[in-house]
Amino acid sequence: LPPGPVYIVVRPEAIRIVAAGTPGTLEARVTRGTYMGSHTEYYLGTPVGDLFAVAPDRLLRRAPGEAVGALLDPDGVVLVRP
């Protein structure tokens, strides 16, 4: 895209939740988590806005208020014009 404002669209499955302080991640805090049986859905607060993530690991649950890192898979990130 040529220079200018864009929105960053991230698929929920493209956000991997990792330990806080992991190099190359966006710092985040869990604001809500809902166990859905086959996966867990999380809302994350970050310095650039809120993110919605889907985590396939059913056994590792993150608690509200927990500091985490958000690692974005480039294949699930798209830039679009406003």
Side-chain angles (χ1 to χ4, degrees):
L1 291 173
V6 295
Y7 289 119
I8 300 172
V9 180
V10 183
R11 294 193 54 79
E13 308 83 25
I15 302 169
R16 197 169 98 212
I17 300 171
V18 297
T22 300
T25 61
L26 179 62
E27 68 179 54
R29 189 164 299 278
V30 175
T31 57
R32 189 171 85 199
T34 305
Y35 175 67
M36 302 298 289
S38 63
H39 64 278
T40 303
E41 297 177 352
Y42 290 101
Y43 288 86
L44 306 174
T46 78
V48 296
D50 295 333
L51 298 176
F52 173 70
V54 174
D57 188 347
R58 297 174 297 132
L59 301 178
L60 177 61
R61 302 230 185 101
R62 307 290 184 162
E66 182 177 349
V68 296
L71 185 61
L72 306 181
D73 178 353
D75 290 337
V77 178
V78 179
L79 302 178
V80 295
R81 291 276 180 210

